Amino acid sequence: MHTFRKAVAAGAVGSVAGTAWLLSSSTIITPIPKHEAIWQSSSLSRLNSFQNPVLEDVCVKRVPLSRVRPELRYDEAALALQFCRGVWSGWAFAPQRVLFTRLFRTSENSHLVFSKNSIAVSDFELNSEFIDQFQVIERSSNVITVREGGSPRDPNLREVDGLITTAARIDLEKQEVELSLSTRLWKGKDKVTDGSLPVPYLVVVLHWLYAKALVQSGAQALR
């Protein structure tokens, strides 16, 4: 089974409880609007060189600034970093983090970031790696883009490739911070001629629930 399908299955198990709450906690938008941060990525055309069909969506959550810790409240860069830390070190990602650690941690890559505590304090600098399945490939003050779908040690095209972008934007007029997690996935190794997406529709639905859980986890890290 491909690692992405394992990831979705692990995430679904971790988010069964409170499904109704999750459904109302954020908004899934597909396709991704052109103003979203992931469209700033210069890696999209390079990695999806065959221009294959893409599964794309963005999960958006708005949080009142009054519910954010004072030291983060008006610092967009700090908000983006803490949100990213919360996404990847939080409860929603925990099943996948444990699974991937068991699957991929070896004596050769044990120096990489695997643990919850290490991810929670990471600066997510450009080219940094975690769990041997994710690599920061683009970075700005309020946007962090990671590549997934395989080990960063293999730079080649992948069976299923993808980009996940976390971003934070302060809306001073509404006194809110807009948090977003954008996902784009595609079959990367060969040209797709039948219009098929990288995963079945049922997996897509589970992915939407998982994305909501990740965003909620990230948002809680701002309190």
Side-chain angles (χ1 to χ4, degrees):
M1 183 185 293
H2 186 268
T3 54
F4 174 69
R5 297 186 184 186
K6 290 182 180 179
V8 173
V13 170
S15 57
V16 169
T19 298
W21 166 65
L22 278 179
L23 289 174
S24 62
S25 66
S26 54
T27 302
I28 294 285
I29 303 171
T30 183
I32 300 174
K34 293 300 180 182
H35 68 269
E36 288 295 333
I38 198 167
W39 291 111
Q40 301 171 19
S41 171
S42 61
S43 301
L44 289 174
S45 59
R46 175 177 62 85
L47 295 175
N48 187 8
S49 58
F50 295 108
Q51 297 299 296
N52 286 332
V54 176
L55 164 65
E56 63 174 64
D57 53 70
V58 57
C59 183
V60 179
K61 181 179 180 65
R62 299 182 73 92
V63 178
L65 287 172
S66 60
R67 297 179 60 186
V68 174
R69 296 202 305 270
E71 67 269 23
L72 301 175
R73 197 166 292 166
Y74 295 103
D75 187 336
E76 207 165 66
L79 283 166
L81 176 58
Q82 191 60 30
F83 174 57
C84 184
R85 287 170 170 170
V87 165
W88 299 116
S89 70
W91 56 266
F93 188 63
Q96 184 177 349
R97 187 173 58 247
V98 171
L99 175 64
F100 277 13
T101 298
R102 291 178 178 174
L103 287 174
F104 303 118
R105 189 170 192 175
T106 67
S107 57
E108 295 179 355
N109 66 13
S110 60
H111 64 285
L112 297 178
V113 174
F114 280 91
S115 71
K116 169 185 176 178
N117 291 340
S118 296
I119 295 174
V121 296
S122 172
D123 288 331
F124 288 90
E125 296 176 348
L126 189 64
N127 296 319
S128 61
E129 305 170 11
F130 55 105
I131 330 179
D132 198 32
Q133 292 293 298
F134 298 87
Q135 180 182 29
V136 179
I137 62 169
E138 294 181 13
R139 183 79 157 81
S140 70
S141 61
N142 70 325
V143 180
I144 301 172
T145 301
V146 302
R147 184 188 183 191
E148 64 96 26
S151 173
R153 291 174 293 168
D154 180 7
N156 299 315
L157 299 180
R158 298 167 181 173
E159 179 184 349
V160 175
D161 213 331
L163 297 179
I164 302 175
T165 292
T166 52
R169 183 182 65 85
I170 295 174
D171 187 334
L172 288 175
E173 183 177 348
K174 295 183 178 180
Q175 285 294 290
E176 294 176 332
V177 56
E178 181 184 274
L179 307 172
S180 65
L181 185 146
S182 304
T183 305
R184 284 177 62 88
L185 297 169
W186 60 89
K187 295 179 180 178
K189 278 193 171 181
D190 302 295
K191 177 68 177 176
V192 173
T193 58
D194 61 1
S196 62
L197 290 173
V199 293
Y201 182 72
L202 176 60
V203 177
V204 174
V205 174
L206 292 174
H207 157 70
W208 288 339
L209 181 60
Y210 190 25
K212 284 177 170 283
L214 290 171
V215 168
Q216 185 64 30
S217 177
Q220 289 174 351
L222 306 182
R223 297 177 181 174

